[in-house]
Amino acid sequence: MKKLLEIIDIFHIKISAIALFVLAALFGYIKPLLLYFLIAFIHEFCHLIACIVFKIKPNAFIILPFGATLEVSNIDNIKSIRQIIIYLAGPFSYFINLIWINILFKISIINNVNYEFLLNANLIMCLLNLLPIFPLDGFIVIKAILQLLIPYKNVLKVSTIISLISFIGFCIYNIFDFQPMVLFFLFIEQIKYILSYKNNYKNFLIYKTLFKKERSFKIINDY
């Protein structure tokens, strides 16, 4: 029961998301919106299940106006293999979503228009999250793989370059299919990641120092 309450406690919903639901209800779009959010919810819930399996407590499960996000603190201090599994669990939800979407269509709960909309939304969400752009799942996976190969300081440099190049490529690709909310969100996240570069490296060093199982100290007189 205590574990269940701890899990429930991390769920939050933004006021902007509530406002979006109200507007959708007023204009008659609540059903497709709720179904879209179900896709996003299941995506993030798969991350949450993977965290629970590895006994990692997330900070928050937040419902946003354009989807949902699971916040996990000190993700770089989790073993790389676990990071990869946790963040590939999200795109894996594509297959879970396909099952319930087809079931709802076969029992006539959703029509052809909603069916095509949900299939496209599910595919786009899966492919988008596989992009190596901070803070998407693909970026975390690439970064975790890099941590297995090169020192962490180089990981930060290489991952930043990969994220920026991928973001520029994504912007160019979306010239004819402009998605301002997604592009603005990703742009802000790139700025935040660049500005947090030094702080991320410092936190990594502090964590490795404090939580190293076997360490020796040199005693300095008059410290």
Side-chain angles (χ1 to χ4, degrees):
M1 187 65 180
K2 185 179 177 181
K3 290 288 184 182
L4 180 61
L5 291 174
E6 288 178 357
I7 293 173
I8 294 174
D9 189 54
I10 69 172
F11 284 87
H12 306 281
I13 183 167
K14 294 288 187 180
I15 295 176
S16 54
I18 296 174
L20 180 63
F21 286 126
V22 172
L23 289 173
L26 292 174
F27 290 97
Y29 291 101
I30 190 65
K31 184 176 178 179
L33 182 65
L34 287 175
L35 290 172
Y36 166 77
F37 267 86
L38 182 57
I39 291 174
F41 182 86
I42 292 175
H43 177 100
E44 297 301 326
F45 194 73
C46 285
H47 288 313
L48 178 59
I49 293 298
C51 286
I52 293 172
V53 169
F54 292 124
K55 298 180 180 180
I56 298 168
K57 185 181 178 181
N59 286 353
F61 191 114
I62 305 172
I63 305 298
L64 302 166
F66 52 85
T69 183
L70 183 73
E71 293 184 354
V72 182
S73 62
N74 297 320
I75 186 64
D76 289 338
N77 298 323
I78 300 171
K79 291 182 179 180
S80 295
I81 299 299
R82 293 186 176 185
Q83 288 185 50
I84 293 169
I85 295 172
I86 289 171
Y87 283 90
L88 283 181
F92 176 78
S93 67
Y94 169 81
F95 302 102
I96 298 173
N97 288 326
L98 272 184
I99 294 172
W100 67 261
I101 290 171
N102 281 283
I103 290 174
L104 292 184
F105 179 66
K106 287 181 180 180
I107 60 179
S108 301
I109 291 180
I110 57 175
N111 56 30
N112 287 328
V113 175
N114 286 334
Y115 177 68
E116 293 296 328
F117 165 73
L118 291 174
L119 287 180
N120 289 331
N122 188 33
L123 180 61
I124 290 171
M125 185 169 294
C126 177
L127 295 178
L128 178 65
N129 276 280
L130 286 173
L131 293 175
I133 302 174
F134 178 82
L136 303 178
D137 299 338
F139 173 83
I140 305 297
V141 171
I142 292 294
K143 191 177 176 184
I145 293 173
L146 289 173
Q147 282 183 261
L148 295 171
L149 304 174
I150 57 178
Y152 186 73
K153 192 171 185 179
N154 293 336
V155 168
L156 289 175
K157 293 178 182 178
V158 174
S159 63
T160 301
I161 294 171
I162 291 174
S163 182
L164 289 174
I165 292 174
S166 300
F167 175 69
I168 293 170
F170 184 68
C171 290
I172 295 171
Y173 177 79
N174 281 275
I175 289 176
F176 302 106
D177 186 21
F178 192 59
Q179 302 175 45
M181 187 177 291
V182 175
L183 291 176
F184 179 73
F185 169 75
L186 291 177
F187 174 75
I188 295 299
E189 292 299 318
Q190 302 318 296
I191 301 298
K192 286 167 60 179
Y193 188 66
I194 292 171
L195 293 177
S196 65
Y197 174 87
K198 290 184 178 180
N199 194 48
N200 287 339
Y201 185 59
K202 181 181 70 175
N203 290 338
F204 176 79
L205 293 177
I206 292 172
Y207 180 88
K208 289 300 181 184
T209 302
L210 293 178
F211 295 96
K212 190 175 181 181
K213 292 182 179 179
E214 295 180 4
R215 55 200 171 117
S216 58
F217 292 97
K218 182 180 179 181
I219 299 175
I220 303 175
N221 293 327
D222 301 324
Y223 174 74

